[in-house]
Amino acid sequence: MKVFHCDHCGQVVFFENTQCVACGHRLAWLPELGIVASLDDAGDGTWTSPAAATQGAHYRRCANDVEHGICNAAVAADDPQPLCRSCRLTRVIPDLSVPGNREAWQVMEAAKRRLLQTLIALRCPVLSKQEDPQRGLAFEFLADSDHPSEGAAMTGHADGVITVAIAEADDVERERRRQQLHEPYRTVLGHFRHEIGHYYWDRLVRDGPRLDGFRAAFGDERADYAQALKDHYAGGPPADWQERYISAYASAHPWEDWAETWAHYLHMADALETVTACGLALRPRRADEPALDGRRIGTAFDDLVDGWFALTYLLNNLNRGLGLGDAYPFVLSPPVIEKLRFVHDTLAESTGG
């Protein structure tokens, strides 16, 4: 994530902020520009910003901010859509008359905005189902049904529609599920990054020239998916899964291996962008310890991996010093690194980067 500053007073502000704590100006995420800008009330229901990138444009607050206070994005004043680029991707929200559902929806939308900020930075195509009914994207945030026969809401992806169970917004419930499934890591943002991976497999790999390369790296996705998941949940991952996969779940099927690897690449992209924006540096006393210069992390894949190893070395040691578990509980084996390289190269090829 980039580092942002208030355009009025220079105070550091963060991606989720709605107001500058120093000067009080309203803040808004401007997705088309990929920035958080401070705003001035133009007095006619619109806002302007002194940020140079806005070039004097006028904006409206997203309708979900005005009506529900759950969004911090703005929309161009001449845009006929009342919702921001992120909120217009959501087509199903939970029943807001049910206690707790509004707060859960807010958590979902915040994670989705952070996801989109990374996708925009990587120049991934992001179109809604309204803009492209066949290949567009939509999100549905679902609550468990009161009818036992209908079962619990499921998180998943099908034909560009990503469903996320709002129970994942509850920290206690999410931790219960994490332990039940023996996962080292489970977050709302992680769910978004995983499920969007399935969507981009359809967009960038399925019908393109990289399909053979995908099968060589991840396996043949034509293997029966339902049976593969059934076998995985019945018997668990292979004993040597850490030698070939980023997670135990990635071993279930090539589609899940791709989605887990894609999500991991987005973790890396966001964190390393923060490293670069902050100018983080590690200058070890010994030549055999990880070094890092955030000002020099390039876009080449090997540079990203070198920076990632140094960063996670620091994060894990800091966490251990605080008596916490590893912030980064993963192992990047050589086959996993090559799968991450495949994701990197797929993105570079699809975006001309």
Side-chain angles (χ1 to χ4, degrees), residues 12-85:
V12 172
V13 297
F14 298 96
F15 183 68
E16 290 80 10
N17 288 162
T18 58
Q19 186 176 40
C20 176
V21 297
C23 69
H25 278 87
R26 175 171 287 278
L27 304 171
W29 175 49
L30 307 181
E32 286 73 18
L33 299 177
I35 64 172
V36 173
S38 55
L39 304 178
D40 289 308
D41 191 342
D44 59 355
T46 68
W47 302 75
T48 60
S49 173
T54 66
Q55 298 182 337
H58 284 242
Y59 296 91
R60 289 179 286 105
R61 291 162 57 195
C62 174
N64 277 342
D65 177 22
V66 175
E67 297 175 23
H68 303 289
I70 62 96
C71 183
N72 70 331
V75 186
D78 59 358
D79 191 329
Q81 285 273 6
L83 298 174
C84 72
R85 186 174 179 180

Side-chain angles (χ1 to χ4, degrees), residues 111-129:
K112 177 153 62 69
R113 288 194 296 276
R114 183 169 279 265
L115 169 71
L116 259 63
Q117 174 74 0
T118 301
L119 296 177
I120 291 168
L122 293 173
R123 294 183 293 166
C124 294
V126 181
L127 293 174
S128 69
K129 283 288 187 185

Side-chain angles (χ1 to χ4, degrees), residues 18 32 111 150 153 231 241 252 317 319 333 337 351:
T18 58
E32 286 73 18
E150 296 183 12
D231 293 343
W241 68 265
N317 276 303
N319 260 35
S333 65
I337 291 175
T351 61

Side-chain angles (χ1 to χ4, degrees), residues 168-185:
E168 294 289 343
D170 184 293
D171 292 342
V172 174
E173 174 60 22
R174 190 173 63 254
E175 176 62 14
R176 185 191 69 79
R177 296 183 184 192
R178 187 191 71 79
Q179 293 189 24
Q180 182 183 47
L181 296 171
H182 308 290
E183 296 173 336
Y185 167 93

Side-chain angles (χ1 to χ4, degrees), residues 240-275:
D240 65 344
W241 68 265
Q242 283 190 311
E243 298 177 12
R244 294 177 287 144
Y245 302 98
I246 189 62
S247 70
Y249 187 55
S251 68
H253 187 274
W255 280 338
E256 298 304 339
D257 194 6
W258 162 269
E260 288 285 89
T261 305
W262 171 278
H264 213 84
Y265 186 84
L266 295 193
H267 296 335
M268 294 170 64
D270 190 308
L272 290 173
E273 185 181 47
T274 305
V275 166

Side-chain angles (χ1 to χ4, degrees), residues 161-242:
V161 179
I162 291 174
T163 58
V164 184
I166 65 167
E168 294 289 343
D170 184 293
D171 292 342
V172 174
E173 174 60 22
R174 190 173 63 254
E175 176 62 14
R176 185 191 69 79
R177 296 183 184 192
R178 187 191 71 79
Q179 293 189 24
Q180 182 183 47
L181 296 171
H182 308 290
E183 296 173 336
Y185 167 93
R186 189 181 183 97
T187 68
V188 175
L189 182 56
H191 281 307
F192 277 88
R193 287 174 172 167
H194 174 98
E195 299 305 338
I196 204 78
H198 288 300
Y199 171 73
Y200 282 111
W201 189 88
D202 289 346
R203 290 292 306 266
L204 305 179
V205 179
R206 184 183 62 188
D207 301 318
R210 296 189 63 80
L211 183 57
D212 289 340
F214 167 83
R215 289 173 178 165
F218 294 85
D220 193 335
E221 83 291 349
R222 292 170 293 188
D224 189 297
Y225 179 71
Q227 186 62 48
L229 289 188
K230 182 178 179 180
D231 293 343
H232 173 77
Y233 286 120
D240 65 344
W241 68 265
Q242 283 190 311

